[in-house]
Amino acid sequence: MRELTVTEKDCAQQLIKYLSKYMEEAPKSFFYKMLRKKNIVLNQKKANGSEKLKTGDTIRLYLAEETIEKFRKIPEKPGTGKEGHLPKPDIVYEDEKVIFLNKSAGVLSQKAKETDISLTEVLGAYLSEKYGGEETMFRAGLCNRLDRNTSGLVLAGKTVAATQQLAELIAKRAVGKYYLTVVKGQVKTTERIRGYLKKNERTNRVSVQTEQHGDAVYIETAYRPLCTGSGCTLLEVELVTGKSHQIRSHLASIGHPLAGDTKYGDAEFNRYFREQYGLKYQVLHSWKAVFPELTGTLSDLSGKTFTAPLPAFMRRILEGEHLTGEAI
């Protein structure tokens, strides 16, 4: 028999999800069968798997050790696997419940294939090292993701309850998400634009329409000019809805493509920034997250604002184009 005790990081999730993380290679049908036969019990009572776990709950596995180990997938210690020594994450804010990171341009939020090393692995290695002696089934997960070539603020929870509330706040658009970008042309006025976005899965491109057709989804983007240069503008963009490639395609559709955007941008505009500054990425930075008044698990974040420092390449562009008129 093996007994597991639920930690604060693991509480607030269903028993079946906890078991699936503890024995990752086992099918859910196995757990349901063992629960029915009382080979797995919760607080010494029969369970069906849907129970929400609380800190201090005990789970007993009346299973052979060989069976348990066969289904377990033990993660490698940081720096011992094929990925080598992973870099330390750039931490904007961290407490016992959440961690906010500043992602570099060119880094994946999540791996696209097995051999990728993404921000998820970097975060996992950092937390594994920090809490190495603590037995927990929870794996910290990113609650928002950025395109590979977009830099900036990524929010993650360190407990199940915090991750659930954070993800819910983002899904309900309760967290204000603001980006900084440099676009073509001189933008003089603050605007809120709307449209419908249609994605082509085959080409991984989107198009913006003025009316809803087919499976196009509603999008809304607000922007405010912070400083104008001779042929470009520094914009603060509020992502009211959060769809794939929304900022890039929406601004391009009104004649203000992003500098460095090879998918939706202007070739001549991009060439200038590439030759002048060696620009490799689109100039788009997830700059700021503004939290509403909160209660519950994330009450410590109530009314707070978090900002991610700009990458060096973006600083060089703003200084070179004299786009530093407003403090950022």
Side-chain angles (χ1 to χ4, degrees), residues 31 38 99 126 140 264 307:
F31 297 122
K38 296 179 68 173
I99 181 168
Y126 166 77
Y264 305 102
T307 58

Side-chain angles (χ1 to χ4, degrees), residues 9 54 126-127 151 193 223 227-228 241 264 270:
K9 285 184 171 62
K54 301 184 295 295
Y126 166 77
L127 294 177
S151 60
I193 55 177
Y223 60 82
C227 191
T228 57
T241 58
Y264 305 102
N270 290 343

Side-chain angles (χ1 to χ4, degrees), residues 90-106:
D90 183 359
I91 299 171
V92 172
Y93 173 82
E94 181 181 10
D95 60 24
E96 289 304 307
K97 298 175 182 177
V98 300
I99 181 168
F100 301 161
L101 308 176
N102 189 5
K103 185 184 86 68
S104 298

Side-chain angles (χ1 to χ4, degrees), residues 5-24:
T5 302
V6 177
T7 68
E8 183 180 358
K9 285 184 171 62
D10 295 312
C11 70
Q13 65 182 312
Q14 289 185 328
L15 171 60
I16 194 69
K17 290 186 177 180
Y18 179 96
L19 292 170
S20 294
K21 291 171 184 174
Y22 189 73
M23 292 187 280
E24 293 185 60

Side-chain angles (χ1 to χ4, degrees), residues 227-240:
C227 191
T228 57
S230 60
C232 57
T233 303
L234 173 65
L235 289 185
E236 176 192 74
V237 182
E238 180 185 3
L239 196 57
V240 182

Side-chain angles (χ1 to χ4, degrees), residues 3 36 47 51 59 110 142 146 165 180 264 282 285 313-314 317 325:
E3 182 173 286
R36 286 196 304 271
E51 294 82 0
I59 301 162
Q110 288 184 312
L142 309 184
L146 301 176
Q165 188 177 1
L180 291 179
Y264 305 102
Q282 65 221 16
H285 182 71
F313 77 86
M314 192 166 173
I317 290 172

